[in-house]
Amino acid sequence: MGLGIGLVGLPNVGKSTTFNALTKAQNAESANYPFCTIEPNKAVVPVPDNRLDELAKIVNPERIQFSTLDFVDIAGLVKGASKGEGLGNKFLSNIRETEVILQIVRCFEDENITHVEGSIDPIRDVEIIEQELLFSDMDQVEKRIESLQRKARGNDRDAKAQLEIAQKLITHIEEGNPVSTFPQREEDQFKLMDRDLRFLTGKEIMYGANVDEEGLEEDNKYVQRLRTYAAARNSEVIKLCAKVEEEMVEFDEEEKTEMLESLGVDESGLDQIIRKGFAKLGLMSYFTAGVKEVRAWTIHQNTTAPKAAAVIHNDFEKGFIRAEVISYKDFIENRGENGAKEAGKMRLEGKEYIVQDGDVMHFRFNV
């Protein structure tokens, strides 16, 4: 399921270091100079889920397969990127292909690490990036208006209807407002434009506050300012130390837990990013559990049983009869499928059933 999260930010804020740790592979070069990342690096990242480990303890499968997310590390943007400054608009097009934006923001001081703006100011940095995204959206809408005006002059009704929305949208953007706050987002003509143009400022956004080790346990002044800014925009801040996360890449789970405890934190920042990003995309997992494989299958929230079955194979949807369903809680409490059946905890569900997060499922079908 090709659903992506794009990592953006100014040069030298820790994006590529974060990406290295996310992917557990040192395939995104990190260096202390701007534009170290030239091409967008892409990777598929497993979604941490302790429930799979608990299922495996009961089933003892040959392998475990986690749900996954696509992450894209995009070259550092600078002021003027929408007009071609730095590495320019090429990289803004990479961001359009993602569904959620994770902006990495530097929230620590270190005189040995260059900052492209010459000082540490997370709000200024965030506003530079978001201004460039807004300018890029403005450019897209202006081009669409020019095209629609030509069609409208030829009495194209659809073009006239969309032109009216586009003109309202360009006014909204010119006033400094993101597409996400446009009042007519639910109208069909807007949705058609958004489908084609994939507005950058209409996407969900999360902020990754990159701190030093000392900043992990308690928020420093930079993180506090970023949280206030994000709260006013109904966005989330996830605190991490990219350097520490990269160091933990080779650790086993016990070593990782010990490291996090020594730093005064309960959960890795990267695990939070993956888990919360998964939710931001409106995704969840159901499970299949057999001796060959315990596996998480990725579906959208509010998916019906036949559509969930299609994720395994299209034939499962075409010939769907019913689904055998055991909740994760009941599966664990009754020590597996047989115990759940004996306790009367297995249900037979039909085509209208809405799959719940953590359901352990087996599909009956006939084609």
Side-chain angles (χ1 to χ4, degrees), residues 197-213:
L197 303 180
R198 298 178 64 85
F199 295 118
L200 297 171
T201 61
K203 297 181 185 297
E204 287 272 7
I205 190 164
M206 302 189 296
Y207 299 102
N210 186 19
V211 300
D212 55 18
E213 289 187 24

Side-chain angles (χ1 to χ4, degrees), residues 203-236:
K203 297 181 185 297
E204 287 272 7
I205 190 164
M206 302 189 296
Y207 299 102
N210 186 19
V211 300
D212 55 18
E213 289 187 24
E214 293 180 358
L216 276 174
E217 186 168 8
E218 188 172 335
D219 287 355
N220 62 33
K221 61 182 180 181
Y222 300 122
V223 176
Q224 290 171 7
R225 290 182 60 203
L226 184 60
R227 288 196 192 280
T228 300
Y229 179 92
R233 288 152 182 79
N234 200 29
S235 295
E236 192 156 14

Side-chain angles (χ1 to χ4, degrees), residues 15-282:
K15 282 190 305 83
S16 293
T17 304
T18 301
F19 183 80
N20 285 337
L22 272 167
T23 59
K24 298 191 176 182
Q26 308 303 306
N27 59 355
E29 182 188 0
S30 298
N32 182 27
Y33 56 88
F35 308 122
C36 162
T37 305
I38 304 300
E39 293 294 334
N41 297 286
K42 299 183 181 181
V44 179
V45 181
V47 178
D49 194 332
N50 292 333
R51 294 176 299 180
L52 285 166
D53 297 320
E54 295 304 312
L55 290 172
K57 289 176 184 177
I58 295 171
V59 179
N60 194 28
E62 294 177 11
R63 60 181 176 271
I64 299 175
Q65 182 71 44
F66 293 83
S67 288
T68 61
L69 277 183
D70 293 340
F71 277 84
V72 182
D73 176 31
I74 299 161
L77 297 172
V78 293
K79 195 180 295 182
S82 60
K83 302 299 181 185
E85 293 296 323
L87 293 170
N89 242 335
K90 172 184 177 183
F91 298 98
L92 293 173
S93 67
N94 296 136
I95 305 172
R96 291 190 192 282
E97 299 309 310
T98 64
E99 285 74 25
V100 170
I101 292 175
L102 170 65
Q103 186 175 162
I104 303 296
V105 186
R106 181 169 164 182
C107 293
F108 68 92
E109 296 178 5
D110 188 334
E111 61 184 18
N112 296 315
I113 301 178
T114 305
H115 192 293
V116 71
E117 291 293 319
S119 62
I120 308 303
D121 184 341
I123 307 307
R124 175 206 59 207
D125 294 357
V126 165
E127 289 178 341
I128 287 172
I129 297 296
E130 294 183 350
Q131 190 78 359
E132 294 307 318
L133 302 184
L134 200 65
F135 285 153
S136 184
D137 281 347
M138 186 186 303
D139 184 58
Q140 293 283 312
V141 179
E142 286 172 347
K143 289 176 180 175
R144 176 55 65 95
I145 287 174
E146 290 176 8
S147 173
L148 290 170
Q149 285 174 332
R150 288 193 296 271
K151 293 178 181 178
R153 285 194 289 269
N155 290 320
D156 185 321
R157 286 186 179 181
D158 290 338
K160 287 181 179 180
Q162 192 172 123
L163 178 59
E164 183 179 343
I165 291 292
Q167 288 170 330
K168 290 178 180 178
L169 179 59
I170 196 67
T171 299
H172 178 82
I173 294 173
E174 286 173 344
E175 291 172 352
N177 301 305
V179 172
S180 60
T181 62
F182 184 54
Q184 292 166 281
R185 281 174 59 83
E186 295 306 312
E187 293 194 15
D188 290 342
Q189 294 299 335
F190 171 83
K191 290 179 178 179
L192 284 172
M193 272 196 297
D194 192 28
R195 185 191 63 192
D196 294 341
L197 303 180
R198 298 178 64 85
F199 295 118
L200 297 171
T201 61
K203 297 181 185 297
E204 287 272 7
I205 190 164
M206 302 189 296
Y207 299 102
N210 186 19
V211 300
D212 55 18
E213 289 187 24
E214 293 180 358
L216 276 174
E217 186 168 8
E218 188 172 335
D219 287 355
N220 62 33
K221 61 182 180 181
Y222 300 122
V223 176
Q224 290 171 7
R225 290 182 60 203
L226 184 60
R227 288 196 192 280
T228 300
Y229 179 92
R233 288 152 182 79
N234 200 29
S235 295
E236 192 156 14
V237 174
I238 300 169
K239 189 166 62 174
L240 72 153
C241 176
K243 181 182 176 183
V244 168
E245 298 286 353
E246 192 172 36
E247 289 173 357
M248 291 194 298
V249 164
E250 302 302 328
F251 288 9
D252 61 29
E253 284 304 311
E254 186 176 341
E255 291 171 326
K256 184 176 173 181
T257 300
E258 289 177 2
M259 168 69 92
L260 293 172
E261 287 178 352
S262 73
L263 295 169
V265 293
D266 298 325
E267 184 181 14
S268 157
L270 295 184
D271 285 352
Q272 292 182 60
I273 285 171
I274 299 167
R275 179 171 52 79
K276 292 180 180 181
F278 196 68
K280 284 280 185 187
L281 288 165

